[in-house]
Amino acid sequence: MCAKQLVLKQRTKLLEALCCGGTAEPLDSVLDLLLSWDVLVWEDYHNVQGLNKPLYSKTRDLLDLVYTKGEEACSLLLAAFDHVLPEAQKAGLSFGKGNSRQTDIKKTPTSASEALLIDRPALVKKIPDHLDEVLEALKEAGCFTSQDYEGVLLQMYTRSQKVRKLLDQVRFRGEGAAKVLLQYLQHIDSKPQRVKEEKELSTEYLLYKEKLRRSVESQSKILSTYGETKSLFLDDIYTDGLLEVVQNDKKVTALGLQDLVGLLGTLNEEADTILVSGEAGIGKSTLLQRLHLLWARGTLLTDVHMLFPFSCRILNSEKKILSLKELLFQHCCWPDRGQDEIFQFILDYPHLVLFTFDGLDEFKHSFTDEERHCCPTQQAPVHTVLFNLLQGTLMKGVKKVVTSRPQAVGPSLKRYLRKEVLAKGFSPVGIKHFVKKHHNEITVATQVVESIKANTALFGLCHIPVFCWIISKCYKELLGCGEGSPQTVTDVYLMVLKHFLQKQVPQQHWTLGKGWLQEHLELSHFKQPIVNHNCLVHCMMPVADDCNVADSTNLQITSEFVAGLLSQRYRSLIEQCCPAVLLEKKSEKVMKCLSKAIQRHFKSIPPPVKGEKKSMHAMPGFVWLIKCIYEMQENEIAKGAVAKLEIEHLKLTYCNIGPVECTALAYVLRYLQNPIGLELDYNSVGDVGLEQLLPCLHICQALYLRNNNISDEGIRKLVEKGVHCECFVKLALFNNKLTDECTKYFACLLQKKKDFVALRLGNNKITSQGAEKLAEGLRYNKSLQYLGLWGNNIGDKGAEALADALKDSTTLTWLSLADNNVGSAGARALAELVKKSTTPLVLWLHPNCIERDGVECLIEALKVNSTVKEVWLRGNNLSAEERRDSHFKSGVRQLKSSKKLWMRG
Ligand SMILES: Nc1ncnc2c1ncn2[C@@H]1O[C@H](COP(=O)(O)OP(=O)(O)OP(=O)(O)O)[C@@H](O)[C@H]1O
């Protein structure tokens, strides 16, 4: 389709993509590019910008104007959109072939004004850091009046808008002004930007900075825990948790606290807001507190001069309208003198300032970008100020870190995020460190660690720091309970209850069984019953009514607990608040609700496309339902909920599944009647979660665990069980933490399971040694169809070993050794495999370092064997000359046209 047609056909989508953020920045950036590429002349630009035109009208006018300019202009317009829009907003749009050649070649300017026009997109990025000095230079040279000067600095403009105003004004002032600006910019290039030296800064500023640091330090030194009287110093207890970012290519990368504000994981360079998201109790507030403390001590974020910490819960109580200036000074730290000067520093050096907002999920207003507010000294309701800060309409350039539970962050906020950091709680080593820090006595710490490790369900729970804290706090109950250690969240909550009750009663009552708890609940140490029977079933109503429970984390947490309390195990505990018969009824009702809700989920699956499996993609709330069932610990309920379900594939990608969720899933899914493919890609299963999944491995025909932080140890346990599971035949482990160590387990799996079909191990750290080990297992296997090792480093030796082991295979149809450092020696060995293959094999060898002789061997092999389907060789080591060689070309041409060979040249 030609560019004009693309613009016309996608008009609505283009309009929406450019304007949906509500800010003029994307449109302005497109206009900059079009001016620079000569698609628009100055007059066009002013016509589009118009006076007081709404954003949508401006964009419509631009689309109309460029459309009338013809095919080439439309092609460049699409290229500009492609350039400006963030990836998330490009979905569903086609930008055609683009006009990349033209956009890459810069015209040679014939005047200073033209040079500024051609470089406009780059200047808009560069000048903001030097705005004041550039303005001074223009004023000094007599090119700008005071009015011009002030007109550029109006507070309603963002930083890049100020630069555009400056450039427009320079153009208006003529060639002389343009020359002065160009000269000054050349001068800037040779000297790095610097903040005023500390000694040049006023005493007021320095005193304030010190006061702010001291205030932040004293606020963050002590960990605020639930109802503790004793102070707990953050330094004594802080344990590093796991942090991850999802990059643009969907790759998950681990992150340290020092990288939180850095470039790693940036998705949208224009945005300033960094989100730290994670489930309840995963440690978001504690992480922020640590960040504050380290900044205040000058050991982290050393380039940040001022850090302003906010709590969204406290902001809720702000009823007055107030300006940003008032918000900063009244809520964080009051300047004793020089308010204006200090605030001016913040405005002048936004990149040296950081705002943090803890607990956005607790803020009573939901995020919206409908109300604009961009003036830092103008008053507005606190939610308007906060939302405009997060969007970047207000104080563009100041980095903001905001924490929230995931449910509270919708798509409207996501589009303003610079990056999203996922807090994933403690690693197994982290759990050990935390417990050791918590207990001074090493013997107690060791006992607690041992008893956590001995119970895998509890071990899973402890990766959530708040549970780790509870367990450590209630260690006496854990170690001396005599009724088995906690398995469910309900068990843990009741343990806390015992802990508090125990503090109120004399020492002789220290046998802490369930009976003890019941006795004390009945003795009514509390004036009111702990649980009101009306609230019990009420909590479960959203399930019955099919409301969107996924929106409310607190409701989810409460109803999990309620489900646990209503189970057979604990019902007796609450008999005092409700007659037994009624309780029985309520419990039955809850069970029905859960079972029905699961059925409803499955009924919503559309009928499978012919030839495809009946697949269900879990809706929000599915995992929570499973967790409620787990809390009840009654096999019959789990069985009743899933036994009759007919699905072949269950997709739970990006569902925030960690070890706790794995325990619940395995508990319920083990009752499925027919084997399924269980897809858990892009979660945080880890080795602990993988172990938790083992009880349901017998119903897994396929297990997909891409991007899940799994290491060799996890694989050891998986294979130990997997070899005995009859229907388990496919495994995908792309992008985990696997090394050569795991290949001996896979070799054993392949050797013992004669029907294993697919093994995908791409993007791990397997070398030639691992490949050789794997080959030992492959020699015995007569069933494998798919073997994926893309993005490892098996080299020639590994390729030779695999080719040799697979040469007699009658089943292999896909082998990926793409990006594995394979050279010609490996290619020659693989050519033998290609020659002998009796299957429609597809072989991926792109990109590697195969040279001409290796490629020729593969081509010869392909000519000999017509059953082989495809060989991919793009991105290997052939020079342009070799590719042009006529003999070589004729060999390739025929294979390429029959689509058997994929290579360039
Ligand atoms: N990194 C850590 N080191 C030591 N203890 C931690 C850490 N993270 C969390 N904790 C413990 O877990 C408790 C809960 O953590 P925190 O309040 O930070 O979680 P959160 O994710 O902010 O929870 P919510 O979403 O409920 O606000 C803390 O009070 C502390 O006892």
Side-chain angles (χ1 to χ4, degrees), residues 115-128:
L116 290 179
L117 202 61
I118 292 170
D119 275 341
R120 187 175 170 99
L123 293 175
V124 168
K125 291 208 170 98
K126 176 178 166 184
I127 297 182

Side-chain angles (χ1 to χ4, degrees), residues 226 237-239 279-286 405 434 465-466 469:
Y226 312 92
I237 194 70
Y238 186 81
T239 310
E279 297 302 329
I282 206 84
K284 303 176 292 293
S285 309
T286 312
R405 293 185 190 171
F434 176 86
V466 74
W469 173 75

Side-chain angles (χ1 to χ4, degrees), residues 182-197:
L182 270 185
Q183 263 170 12
Y184 196 79
L185 291 173
Q186 277 160 9
H187 161 70
I188 285 175
D189 282 342
S190 58
K191 71 174 181 87
Q193 193 217 3
R194 82 191 171 104
V195 184
K196 288 184 205 168
E197 293 287 342

Side-chain angles (χ1 to χ4, degrees), residues 133-179:
E133 34 176 332
V134 166
L135 278 167
E136 286 297 341
L138 284 163
K139 208 169 143 197
E140 218 166 273
C143 305
F144 263 29
T145 64
S146 305
Q147 258 177 335
D148 294 336
Y149 189 105
E150 279 154 23
V152 168
L153 289 180
L154 283 181
Q155 281 188 339
M156 61 188 217
Y157 296 141
T158 63
R159 272 154 56 91
S160 43
Q161 278 171 338
K162 284 178 184 160
V163 177
R164 290 191 184 97
K165 289 287 153 203
L166 175 127
L167 291 171
D168 296 355
Q169 196 59 18
V170 166
R171 188 172 179 90
F172 176 70
R173 291 280 169 210
E175 187 63 12
K179 275 189 185 148

